Amino acid sequence: MTDDYKVIEVKRSIFEDNDADADRLREELREEKTFLLNLMSSPGAGKTTTLKRTIANLKDEMRIGVMEADIDSDVDAASIIEAGARAIQIHTGGMCHLDADMTRQGLKEFGTSDLDFVVLENVGNLVCPAEFDTGATKNAMILSVPEGDDKPLKYPLMFSVCDVVLINKCDALPVFQEFDKEAVEQRIKELNPNAEIFFVSAKTGEGFDQWINWVRTQVAEYRGV
């Protein structure tokens, strides 16, 4: 009988607490005018390669930092430092995502008051990272051509929460000819009509002008420049 015990909706409580903490973190970042981008994707989609090319395009215009989140290792942070940006490695202790409190801890250790543009490279995963608000200013994700154009159908929440979607590895389209650009764009727009979609290749630089201009505009507007 339900009168004999209390039912606690733990998952709902966790999400509500995290959402409130994320809002507080966003306000803290706005006060210091630091733009935080939460970048998500599955493993191997090209997050780090995309960031390295992004840094190369923008490092002379803005002060950039990257927080690399992984279950283990520090190879991505080392790559980012070589690319010319400040970096810190966050080990999640087996967790498959970052939440607002974990992001705040990373930001505190990193120090962001002297940075214009900070990227949180989230753990490679199309499920958990989409469920937890990190407190970021904007959310972005990368879908690579080899993953297939059906991913918006399989992981709708991820595509729903992102402000911008990069379709990466377009240089591989001649090999993956079954990938339908029009279909994937339509599927994303049905889930998220306001999402910006850019078809790019982090390897060759194809389509990067649009992405770089998006970042440049977003950061400038946020900082009131």
Side-chain angles (χ1 to χ4, degrees), residues 5 13 22 26-27 35 56-57 60 62 71 101-102 114 120 127 135-136 147 177-178 186 204-205 213:
Y5 54 85
S13 176
R26 254 187 296 276
E27 187 58 35
F35 186 102
N57 277 271
D60 294 332
M62 58 183 74
I71 293 174
D101 185 59
M102 295 162 72
D114 61 341
L120 171 61
V127 181
E147 293 175 79
Q177 296 182 18
E178 68 278 10
Q186 180 180 346
T204 67
N213 286 334

Side-chain angles (χ1 to χ4, degrees), residues 97-160:
H97 66 277
L98 289 182
D99 59 21
D101 185 59
M102 295 162 72
T103 301
R104 178 182 278 103
Q105 291 180 51
L107 290 168
K108 183 178 179 180
E109 291 294 326
F110 195 30
T112 57
S113 60
D114 61 341
L115 296 173
D116 306 313
F117 178 46
V118 178
V119 180
L120 171 61
E121 183 176 340
N122 217 313
V123 180
N125 186 335
L126 288 181
V127 181
C128 301
E131 296 182 330
F132 287 85
D133 189 343
T134 61
T137 312
K138 296 287 183 179
N139 291 316
M141 73 157 295
I142 300 174
L143 169 67
S144 65
V145 166
E147 293 175 79
D149 56 37
D150 60 350
K151 289 300 176 287
L153 302 176
K154 296 181 177 182
Y155 303 96
L157 181 60
M158 174 61 75
F159 292 87
S160 299

Side-chain angles (χ1 to χ4, degrees), residues 51-220:
L51 284 176
K52 289 170 66 176
R53 186 173 285 276
T54 301
I55 291 164
N57 277 271
L58 292 171
K59 64 181 180 181
D60 294 332
E61 302 177 30
M62 58 183 74
R63 300 166 296 178
I64 304 172
V66 178
M67 300 196 302
E68 293 284 351
D70 279 303
I71 293 174
D72 207 343
S73 93
D74 61 358
V75 293
D76 288 342
S79 295
I80 293 300
I81 291 172
E82 289 177 4
R86 201 157 89 207
I88 187 173
Q89 187 76 49
I90 300 174
H91 286 166
T92 64
M95 297 287 285
C96 58
H97 66 277
L98 289 182
D99 59 21
D101 185 59
M102 295 162 72
T103 301
R104 178 182 278 103
Q105 291 180 51
L107 290 168
K108 183 178 179 180
E109 291 294 326
F110 195 30
T112 57
S113 60
D114 61 341
L115 296 173
D116 306 313
F117 178 46
V118 178
V119 180
L120 171 61
E121 183 176 340
N122 217 313
V123 180
N125 186 335
L126 288 181
V127 181
C128 301
E131 296 182 330
F132 287 85
D133 189 343
T134 61
T137 312
K138 296 287 183 179
N139 291 316
M141 73 157 295
I142 300 174
L143 169 67
S144 65
V145 166
E147 293 175 79
D149 56 37
D150 60 350
K151 289 300 176 287
L153 302 176
K154 296 181 177 182
Y155 303 96
L157 181 60
M158 174 61 75
F159 292 87
S160 299
V161 302
C162 288
D163 301 284
V164 59
V165 179
L166 301 181
I167 311 297
N168 190 30
K169 303 188 181 181
C170 285
D171 55 295
L173 281 169
V175 177
F176 296 91
Q177 296 182 18
E178 68 278 10
F179 188 94
D180 190 327
K181 293 174 66 176
E182 292 184 1
V184 75
E185 187 167 15
Q186 180 180 346
R187 289 163 181 166
I188 294 170
K189 286 294 186 179
E190 286 176 354
L191 292 167
N192 187 351
N194 296 321
E196 297 275 4
I197 302 171
F198 303 127
F199 291 88
V200 304
S201 168
K203 180 180 179 180
T204 67
E206 175 187 346
F208 250 70
D209 286 348
Q210 285 183 299
W211 161 242
I212 294 300
N213 286 334
W214 184 88
V215 173
R216 185 183 288 122
T217 299
Q218 292 292 323
V219 173

